[in-house]
């Protein structure tokens, strides 16, 4: 679930980049780590511009370390 590509991005990074809430929710439910930074130091939330996705990530991040 937390596999990284050559740029350090996870599937959760990509789901957020494409504004795919269903995929992001599913990945978080299955254990995707929202704290993982890519090669540029960006977490999925750092590139999230859709409020519903941002709220989802904020809640999950507050409940995990």
């Amino acid at each position: 679930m937390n596999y990284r590509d050559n740029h350090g991005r996870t599937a959760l990074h990509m789901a957020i980049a494409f504004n795919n809430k269903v995929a992001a929710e599913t990945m978080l439910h299955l254990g995707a780590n929202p704290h993982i930074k890519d090669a540029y130091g960006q977490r999925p939330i750092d590139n999230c511009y859709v409020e519903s996705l941002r709220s989802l990530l904020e809640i999950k991040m507050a409940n995990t370390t």
Side-chain angles (χ1 to χ4, degrees), residues 7-48:
H7 299 282
R9 296 174 299 219
T10 64
L12 184 58
H13 281 92
M14 300 310 294
I16 296 301
F18 287 101
N19 299 321
N20 190 331
K21 185 176 181 184
V22 172
E25 286 177 326
T26 301
M27 285 182 245
L28 289 167
H29 177 73
L30 293 173
N33 183 342
H35 298 282
I36 293 176
K37 294 180 181 179
D38 65 15
Y40 309 101
Q42 300 291 304
R43 300 167 301 166
I45 198 168
D46 296 326
N47 294 309
C48 183

